Amino acid sequence: METFQQKSGYKRIFKENKLTLGLFIPIESYTGSIPTMENHIQMAQKAEQLGFGALWVRDIPLHDPYFGDVGQIFDPWVYLGYLSAYTKEITLGTGSIIFPLRHPIHLAKEAASVDQLSKGRLILGIASGDRRVEFPAFNINIPSRGEAFRETFAYFKQLLGEDFPTIDSKVGTIQGNAGILPKTYHSDIPIIITGSSRQSFDWIAEHGDGWMYYPRSIYQQSQSIQSWRNATSTFKPFVQSLYIDLTEDPEEEPSPIHLGFRLGRKHLIHFLKSLEAIGVNHVMLNLKYGMRDAQEVMEELALEVLPQFPSFN
């Protein structure tokens, strides 16, 4: 069986010393926390047609009005299944599924189902969670979410890796008499761990197939990536998000917005080249805070920016 590195959504967006670009869904600019989700499938198909490497969704089970963003509104697994039917090649990623809030049996069933339906296009970003209102709602002790993350991760991996596993875990027991179907499309699903997820750096380097982090200065990000490369014996990609408000003036200097910049395309290209030079392998662009029409921005990015950061066949 082919590995996910050889053929799948992984191969489309990850290559050593190269950077590719993806888009967070919803692909729209909006104020407040709730997007319109108008023409969302058409926008996803347009992103694929224009050559973006990946579409990313988030796991936000509850509307917390104080957090300021509900992502794509729809459940990530239901929505990824829907996206898989309306797209053909673009990578489908999660940024990120909150492991302590979900049972590993459901996670394994959901992830393998999406992976099969999309023919191996799933990239599974996972995290321990940071929206504090969610944990008491699920009757989970916030300080224990790091341990719950590890327990869920181990159970999840064993379910997908063995036909009839024997599992004795705090979150459940299987006595070798049951297993999960379907299995993954390739030998496994690539798992990208987000932030620290309440784990040690060595644990992340050993168990993750990649690392996802938040936007930081070039210097800070370069230090993190160097530590990541030193901790991993084989190539494991580094992924980050970036909010952008792309202006009509291609020369406009960058000015800060939440987790990103308002800037012209020439400065965006320069910044992305700097990220590529320090070892960032994929940037998830978020258009939420943009002042222009999202489709217009997508088309400009595809014409002027994507050719310098192409996805791979």
Side-chain angles (χ1 to χ4, degrees):
M1 180 181 289
E2 290 177 307
T3 67
F4 62 71
Q5 291 95 340
Q6 293 170 319
K7 185 180 179 182
S8 67
Y10 181 101
K11 185 179 179 183
R12 180 180 173 87
I13 63 171
F14 294 138
K15 189 174 183 179
E16 195 166 5
N17 301 318
K18 295 293 183 180
L19 182 145
T20 60
L21 297 176
L23 290 168
F24 263 115
I25 290 178
I27 307 171
E28 64 175 277
S29 58
Y30 57 99
T31 58
S33 62
I34 303 175
T36 68
M37 297 302 292
E38 292 180 358
N39 302 317
H40 58 101
I41 287 299
Q42 291 89 335
M43 293 294 277
Q45 291 173 321
K46 185 72 171 179
E48 180 174 61
Q49 174 192 338
L50 291 172
F52 286 90
L55 297 170
W56 296 86
V57 303
R58 284 175 286 175
D59 184 13
I60 304 173
L62 292 175
H63 176 201
D64 177 1
Y66 297 102
F67 203 90
D69 194 359
V70 296
Q72 75 282 341
I73 301 176
F74 302 118
D75 175 84
W77 295 117
V78 173
Y79 193 58
L80 284 170
Y82 192 64
L83 282 173
S84 73
Y86 282 94
T87 57
K88 297 178 181 179
E89 297 178 350
I90 197 165
T91 297
L92 303 175
T94 63
S96 298
I97 298 296
I98 310 305
F99 259 38
L101 301 184
R102 294 174 177 266
H103 195 278
I105 294 176
H106 291 139
L107 284 169
K109 186 85 172 181
E110 291 156 346
S113 296
V114 168
D115 198 49
Q116 278 286 348
L117 291 169
S118 67
K119 299 190 186 309
R121 290 189 279 146
L122 179 64
I123 302 289
L124 184 60
I126 66 174
S128 61
D130 59 3
R131 300 182 185 229
R132 299 186 71 84
V133 71
E134 293 171 346
F135 291 91
F138 282 91
N139 197 29
I140 294 173
N141 184 17
I142 291 176
S144 70
R145 67 189 187 273
E147 181 183 2
F149 178 90
R150 289 192 305 277
E151 291 276 353
T152 301
F153 181 91
Y155 199 137
F156 172 87
K157 291 287 286 185
Q158 196 170 349
L159 275 172
L160 291 182
E162 301 176 24
D163 290 332
F164 297 100
T166 298
I167 300 173
D168 184 10
S169 168
K170 291 182 179 179
V171 291
T173 300
I174 297 178
Q175 300 296 338
N177 56 356
I180 281 288
L181 290 176
K183 295 300 184 183
T184 58
Y185 190 76
H186 299 300
S187 61
D188 204 352
I189 295 173
I191 294 178
I192 313 296
I193 296 174
T194 305
S196 72
S197 291
R198 298 296 189 274
Q199 310 307 315
S200 71
F201 193 71
D202 288 342
W203 189 96
I204 296 170
E206 178 183 354
H207 293 90
D209 300 306
W211 190 27
M212 186 185 299
Y213 213 76
Y214 311 97
R216 300 198 299 174
S217 71
I218 292 293
Y219 175 76
Q220 289 175 311
Q221 208 72 306
S222 67
Q223 295 297 105
S224 295
I225 293 169
Q226 187 58 56
S227 297
W228 177 245
R229 302 297 179 218
N230 290 341
T232 51
S233 57
T234 59
F235 170 65
K236 294 186 177 184
F238 183 93
V239 179
Q240 73 157 73
S241 60
L242 183 70
Y243 285 80
I244 61 167
D245 177 8
L246 192 69
T247 63
E248 291 184 354
D249 178 5
E251 303 281 356
E252 183 163 335
E253 296 277 345
S255 55
I257 61 174
H258 177 65
L259 296 176
F261 301 101
R262 173 181 169 84
L263 76 178
R265 70 168 182 265
K266 290 187 178 180
H267 291 283
L268 175 61
I269 291 169
H270 176 76
F271 183 68
L272 293 172
K273 286 289 187 183
S274 298
L275 292 179
E276 185 175 59
I278 64 171
V280 176
N281 301 112
H282 185 76
V283 173
M284 306 172 290
L285 297 174
N286 195 319
L287 307 184
K288 179 185 189 305
Y289 298 113
M291 303 299 290
R292 296 166 61 192
D293 176 75
Q295 181 163 320
E296 180 182 314
V297 170
M298 265 205 305
E299 289 172 351
E300 181 177 341
L301 290 170
L303 181 64
E304 304 288 351
V305 181
L306 274 181
Q308 303 198 47
F309 308 99
S311 302
F312 311 108
N313 294 325

